[in-house]
C-alpha cells in the first residue's frame, strides 16, 4: 500500500536582482530612522514635540511669553539676582536675595564692595574701613580722626538714616519689584528666539529686536515661566535670576554688630 504524504514546498533562493532590490529598500528605510535617532535629542524632527513635558509657554507668541514671564515675576515671593549692570553712573556687580519686605546681599562698584541688609524700612550697610575713608564728596582728604572712625566701622553694620542722600540710592538695590521691572524690560519689537538651557532648565528666548539690541530674556519652559536670565542690550550687562520663591530669613543685626556713622555716608 502506498502512503501519500503532503508535499513540502521548499522556497527557492531569490534571484540576484530581487535580493539587490530588497537590500536597497532596507537601506532607504534605515536612513530616516538613523536621522530620527540623531535628532531625537533636540526634539526637532521626526514628529517629536519640542514642547513635550514643558509648561507650554514655548508655543506662545513672543509678546505672550514676555507677559507670562512678567506675571510670574510679579507674583513671586522671593528671588536671587546676580550679575553685572553697566550704566552712566558706572558698573555695578550685584548678588542680592530679594523679597517683598526686604533684602540681603552685596554690591560691588568701581571703588568698593559693601553689603546691604533691609528689613522693612530699616536699611543697614556693612563695609570695610576703605569704604568709610574714600571720597565724601567735599574734596577733602580723610583726616586722622576719619581713619580712626573708619577702623571702628570696619565690618560693622551702619543703619542708614532715611534722610541721608544715600538712603534712596542704596534702598533701590533692595527693592524686589522695581528692580525686576527695571532690569527685565525689553525694548523694540519683541521676537521669539532659540531654545536654551540655564541651570539645567529648558528655556525659550524672547528678544527686543531681531538681533536682541533691545535685550534678550530667557524664560523657563519648566514649572512657572520665570525669567531666568536677562542680557541687556548694547553690552549693558547680564543678570541671572534664580531661587524663585525660595524664602530666606531677614533679621536686623544685633546691637553689638551695629555702630553709628555719625554723619552723612560717603558717596558710593
Amino acid at each position: 500500500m502506498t502512503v501519500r504524504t503532503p508535499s513540502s514546498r521548499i522556497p527557492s533562493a531569490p534571484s540576484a536582482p530581487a535580493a539587490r532590490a530588497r537590500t536597497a529598500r532596507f537601506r532607504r528605510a534605515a536612513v530616516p530612522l538613523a536621522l530620527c535617532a540623531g535628532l531625537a535629542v533636540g526634539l526637532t524632527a521626526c514628529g517629536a514635540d519640542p514642547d513635550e513635558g514643558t509648561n507650554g509657554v514655548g508655543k506662545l507668541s513672543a509678546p505672550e511669553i514676555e507677559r507670562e514671564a512678567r506675571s510670574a515675576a510679579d507674583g513671586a515671593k522671593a528671588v536671587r539676582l546676580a550679575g553685572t549692570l553697566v550704566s552712566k553712573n558706572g558698573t555695578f556687580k550685584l548678588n542680592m536675595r530679594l523679597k517683598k519686605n526686604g533684602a540681603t546681599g552685596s554690591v560691588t562698584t568701581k571703588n568698593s564692595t559693601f553689603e546691604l541688609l533691609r528689613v522693612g524700612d530699616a536699611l543697614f550697610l556693612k563695609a570695610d574701613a576703605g569704604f568709610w575713608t574714600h571720597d565724601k564728596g567735599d574734596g577733602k582728604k580723610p583726616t586722622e580722626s576719619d581713619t580712626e572712625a573708619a577702623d571702628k566701622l570696619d565690618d560693622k553694620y551702619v543703619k542708614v538714616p532715611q534722610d541721608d542722600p544715600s538712603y534712596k540710592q542704596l534702598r533701590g538695590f533692595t527693592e524686589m519689584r522695581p528692580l525686576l521691572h527695571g532690569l527685565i524690560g525689553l525694548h523694540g519689537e519683541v521676537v521669539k528666539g532659540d531654545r536654551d538651557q540655564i541651570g539645567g532648565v529648558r528655556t525659550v528666548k524672547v528678544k527686543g529686536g531681531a538681533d536682541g539690541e533691545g535685550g534678550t530674556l530667557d524664560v523657563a519652559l519648566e514649572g512657572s515661566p520665570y525669567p531666568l536670565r536677562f542680557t541687556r542690550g548694547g553690552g549693558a550687562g547680564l543678570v541671572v535670576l534664580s531661587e524663585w520663591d525660595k524664602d530666606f530669613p531677614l533679621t536686623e543685626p544685633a546691637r553689638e554688630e551695629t555702630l553709628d556713622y555719625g554723619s552723612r555716608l560717603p558717596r558710593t
Side-chain angles (χ1 to χ4, degrees), residues 19-39:
R20 287 196 295 269
R22 185 179 299 173
T23 301
R25 285 197 299 272
F26 282 133
R27 286 177 178 171
R28 286 195 296 270
V31 170
L33 288 174
L35 286 174
C36 283
L39 293 171

Side-chain angles (χ1 to χ4, degrees), residues 73 76-79 98-100 174-180 244:
K77 296 179 181 179
V79 66
L98 308 151
K99 57 183 180 179
K100 294 181 179 179
T174 71
E175 295 279 4
M176 179 176 168
R177 184 164 293 182
L179 195 57
L180 289 175
W244 285 100

Side-chain angles (χ1 to χ4, degrees), residues 138-197:
D138 56 11
K140 298 179 181 178
K141 292 184 178 181
T143 64
E144 185 176 345
S145 61
D146 289 334
T147 302
E148 291 176 356
D151 288 339
K152 293 180 180 179
L153 292 168
D154 181 47
D155 209 33
K156 293 286 187 180
Y157 282 102
V158 171
K159 188 172 184 179
V160 183
Q162 293 189 32
D163 60 353
D164 190 288
S166 295
Y167 180 86
K168 185 177 180 180
Q169 178 191 10
L170 294 171
R171 179 166 177 154
F173 291 117
T174 71
E175 295 279 4
M176 179 176 168
R177 184 164 293 182
L179 195 57
L180 289 175
H181 278 207
L183 289 180
I184 64 176
L186 297 171
H187 303 283
E189 182 181 0
V190 182
V191 297
K192 190 187 295 188
D194 298 331
R195 304 298 178 96
D196 203 348
Q197 279 197 5

Side-chain angles (χ1 to χ4, degrees), residues 22-180:
R22 185 179 299 173
T23 301
R25 285 197 299 272
F26 282 133
R27 286 177 178 171
R28 286 195 296 270
V31 170
L33 288 174
L35 286 174
C36 283
L39 293 171
V41 176
L43 297 176
T44 57
C46 309
D49 182 2
D51 292 298
E52 184 178 358
T54 72
N55 54 23
V57 168
K59 297 179 180 180
L60 302 178
S61 67
E64 289 172 328
I65 296 172
E66 184 187 17
R67 284 196 295 271
E68 288 291 324
R70 282 186 172 276
S71 177
D74 284 343
K77 296 179 181 179
V79 66
R80 178 187 287 275
L81 186 154
T84 301
L85 306 177
V86 181
S87 71
K88 62 181 180 180
N89 295 321
T91 298
F92 302 91
K93 290 183 179 180
L94 304 180
N95 188 0
M96 299 293 301
R97 296 191 71 181
L98 308 151
K99 57 183 180 179
K100 294 181 179 179
N101 66 329
T104 182
S106 65
V107 180
T108 299
T109 69
K110 179 181 178 180
N111 297 318
S112 57
T113 295
F114 52 90
E115 295 180 28
L116 291 174
L117 169 64
R118 182 173 66 83
V119 184
D121 291 326
L123 179 64
F124 299 88
L125 183 150
K126 183 167 75 170
D128 61 18
F131 174 88
W132 299 109
T133 55
H134 79 246
D135 180 24
K136 299 181 178 61
D138 56 11
K140 298 179 181 178
K141 292 184 178 181
T143 64
E144 185 176 345
S145 61
D146 289 334
T147 302
E148 291 176 356
D151 288 339
K152 293 180 180 179
L153 292 168
D154 181 47
D155 209 33
K156 293 286 187 180
Y157 282 102
V158 171
K159 188 172 184 179
V160 183
Q162 293 189 32
D163 60 353
D164 190 288
S166 295
Y167 180 86
K168 185 177 180 180
Q169 178 191 10
L170 294 171
R171 179 166 177 154
F173 291 117
T174 71
E175 295 279 4
M176 179 176 168
R177 184 164 293 182
L179 195 57
L180 289 175

